[in-house]
Amino acid sequence: MNLQELYRRRQELLGEISEIDRRETAANRNYLENDEYRTRMTEVERLNNDITVAESVEADRVRRRQMEDDGTRSRRPEGIEGGGQQQQQQQHAVPFRSLGEQVQAAIRSSMPGGASDPRLAEVRATGMSEGVGADGGFLVQTDFTQSIWQRTYQTGQVLSRVRRIPIGANSNAIKHPYLKETARTAGNRYGGIRTYRKAEAGTVTATKPAFGEFKLELETGMALVYLTDELIADAAQLDGYLRMMLPEAINFHMEDELFNGNGVGKCLGILNAPCLVSVAKQSGQTAATVVPQNVAKMRARQFVGSRANSVWHINQDVEPSLHTMVLTDGVNTGVPVYLPANGLSGSPFDTLYGRPVIPVEHCATLGTQGDIVLADWSQYILIEKGGIDVASSIHVQFIYGEQVLRFTWRNNGAPGYGWSDGALTPAKGTNTQSPFITLDTRA
């Protein structure tokens, strides 16, 4: 399928998924257990991957064609017009040759008395005042948006691991029912479903499954980029600067929210989530330390279904403690718990109990809750909609010879579905379990 067919098929599937959701909810059934729903969601995930690849290929093809067209125009004798219908269609489909060129046009349109570049109308004006870049903004050209988001998700080691869900054109939120299961004890499993043997039929207890609703609404993110007049004047330099720095800035902001966000107008971070399990320190443990018993108990508190996808995140201040961490079994001494990566030929990450150890700046300093985290990011939901808007202002830094670009986007995130209720109590025992584990402060 070509790109348009991929888009069309995905839209059809999303419509079918919404219909299954509506039908199953009306019948008081769990849509997640519907085979048609699972089959379509699997196909949507496959299509999302195919679309990402196809968009990248198409953007590269268009850029190469435009470079060829530019070369043809430069060799054309003066006074002779050319191009034909195919070239005009390509120019219409992709008005700007680079992000820097589009930003230059947006800046010119925001200046008092400045003429609005007609190509901006082709990528649609958005914001408070439709069609007025100074009030609202212009949607960043699709292939540039894809490039920014692709680099944003590839830059860090966290954002690429979450579960991403696109939001359709007529919605600003995700709203999904799920079976409430905060405990695996009898009467609570799978929302309260009970099972019996036939001989016990006369003594069964009537139950009704309990359903919850996972709801997550889009929030707006914003990045301000200050540009000197000299940088603005050079489209190629401006394009390179924005493509490199903007994704890294957005990535850092988003990943910090995934750890520390309070959920008010932003993502709910795992360290503030109801399902977080924080393991107590050892009796008499020295302040600002991490000992083998800490990590052993953290691992024991992680939901078993999350172990295969889990990673450890640490503040780099924690690393010296890990490098000297050993177990003693009464016979052998100095059995290592922590294994550094084995050069370029081995794993790219150090490992702890066989899982990658990834230092991030978003973890707290040594001895503070959040300095070491065991996380399964596949249980974290990130919703997103549309592309990126860009607007500019010549007033904010006028006396410094600078202008300001404002990039905005819409997304939001939180631990998903049943984990929004809290940690899980196992069928046997009282120690709760979760995909997200940390340590209490060791003061």
Side-chain angles (χ1 to χ4, degrees), residues 4 7 23 114 122 163 166 189 199 207 253 263 270 280 339 378 432:
Q4 294 304 317
Y7 284 140
R23 187 179 68 229
E122 298 185 44
R163 181 179 176 186
R189 287 188 293 273
T207 62
H253 175 90
I270 60 173
L339 296 177
S378 70
T432 53

Side-chain angles (χ1 to χ4, degrees), residues 100-101 118 125 175 216 225 231 312 317 342 355 357 360:
E101 185 178 298
K175 187 187 297 183
L216 193 59
V225 182
L231 183 58
W312 298 87
D317 293 343
N342 186 24
R355 301 308 304 161
V357 178
V360 294

Side-chain angles (χ1 to χ4, degrees), residues 107-243:
I107 290 173
R108 286 193 296 269
S109 73
S110 70
M111 293 181 176
S116 178
D117 192 313
R119 293 175 295 176
L120 289 171
E122 298 185 44
V123 290
R124 301 201 326 271
T126 62
M128 294 180 290
S129 301
E130 286 288 317
V132 183
D135 291 342
F138 298 99
L139 190 67
V140 174
Q141 195 167 289
T142 302
D143 55 333
F144 305 151
T145 293
Q146 181 64 29
S147 175
I148 291 171
W149 279 129
Q150 187 175 23
R151 180 167 169 77
T152 296
Y153 279 90
Q154 291 175 346
T155 296
Q157 290 293 339
V158 179
L159 204 54
S160 60
R161 301 174 186 273
V162 303
R163 181 179 176 186
R164 299 166 62 187
I165 297 180
I167 301 299
N170 299 319
S171 178
N172 290 314
I174 182 176
K175 187 187 297 183
H176 278 177
Y178 62 89
L179 285 169
K180 293 179 72 69
E181 185 186 51
T182 56
R184 299 281 295 169
T185 51
N188 293 299
R189 287 188 293 273
Y190 306 110
I193 295 175
R194 287 179 177 266
T195 58
Y196 299 90
R197 290 292 185 181
K198 183 177 179 181
E200 301 170 335
T203 60
V204 300
T205 302
T207 62
K208 179 180 179 180
F211 287 87
E213 182 178 73
F214 177 68
K215 183 177 181 180
L216 193 59
E217 297 181 347
L218 291 166
E219 299 289 352
T220 300
M222 180 186 300
L224 297 180
V225 182
Y226 293 84
L227 303 172
T228 63
D229 292 339
E230 290 78 7
L231 183 58
I232 293 170
D234 188 333
Q237 185 178 0
L238 178 59
D239 182 80
Y241 174 77
L242 291 175
R243 285 181 184 271

Side-chain angles (χ1 to χ4, degrees), residues 226-439:
Y226 293 84
L227 303 172
T228 63
D229 292 339
E230 290 78 7
L231 183 58
I232 293 170
D234 188 333
Q237 185 178 0
L238 178 59
D239 182 80
Y241 174 77
L242 291 175
R243 285 181 184 271
M244 176 172 25
M245 304 307 297
L246 183 61
E248 292 186 6
I250 295 175
N251 175 274
F252 188 94
H253 175 90
M254 286 297 304
E255 291 194 350
D256 190 66
E257 284 192 3
L258 265 54
F259 279 88
N260 302 303
N262 62 12
V264 180
K266 64 184 70 171
C267 296
L268 177 62
I270 60 173
L271 295 176
N272 293 312
C275 64
L276 178 71
V277 168
S278 188
V279 175
K281 67 178 183 179
Q282 291 296 107
S283 176
Q285 182 174 347
T286 304
T289 60
V290 177
V291 297
Q293 291 84 349
N294 293 150
V295 295
K297 290 182 178 180
M298 288 178 67
R299 186 170 182 268
R301 296 290 294 275
Q302 186 172 50
F303 177 59
V304 68
S306 288
R307 287 193 176 184
N309 297 317
S310 63
V311 294
W312 298 87
H313 293 293
I314 61 168
N315 183 297
Q316 283 183 249
D317 293 343
V318 174
E319 279 191 311
S321 296
L322 297 183
H323 279 288
T324 58
M325 188 177 290
V326 294
L327 294 175
T328 301
D329 61 7
V331 177
N332 300 302
T333 59
V335 178
V337 177
Y338 178 73
L339 296 177
N342 186 24
L344 294 177
S345 63
S347 170
F349 301 113
D350 301 344
T351 59
L352 188 58
Y353 283 103
R355 301 308 304 161
V357 178
I358 304 173
V360 294
E361 293 183 72
H362 318 295
C363 283
T365 191
L366 178 61
T368 307
Q369 185 188 54
D371 60 347
I372 180 169
V373 175
L374 181 59
D376 172 15
W377 290 107
S378 70
Q379 301 302 310
Y380 193 97
I381 305 299
L382 187 72
I383 61 173
E384 50 194 11
K385 180 178 181 178
I388 298 177
D389 287 354
V390 58
S392 67
S393 171
I394 66 171
H395 306 293
V396 179
Q397 294 288 90
F398 175 77
I399 62 174
Y400 300 106
E402 293 181 337
Q403 296 194 36
V404 178
L405 293 178
R406 183 191 68 206
F407 291 88
T408 57
W409 63 91
R410 302 185 70 197
N411 60 10
N412 200 5
Y417 305 110
W419 299 115
S420 60
D421 291 328
L424 181 69
T425 300
K428 308 293 184 182
T430 58
N431 288 328
T432 53
Q433 301 172 356
S434 171
F436 307 107
I437 315 293
T438 189
L439 285 178

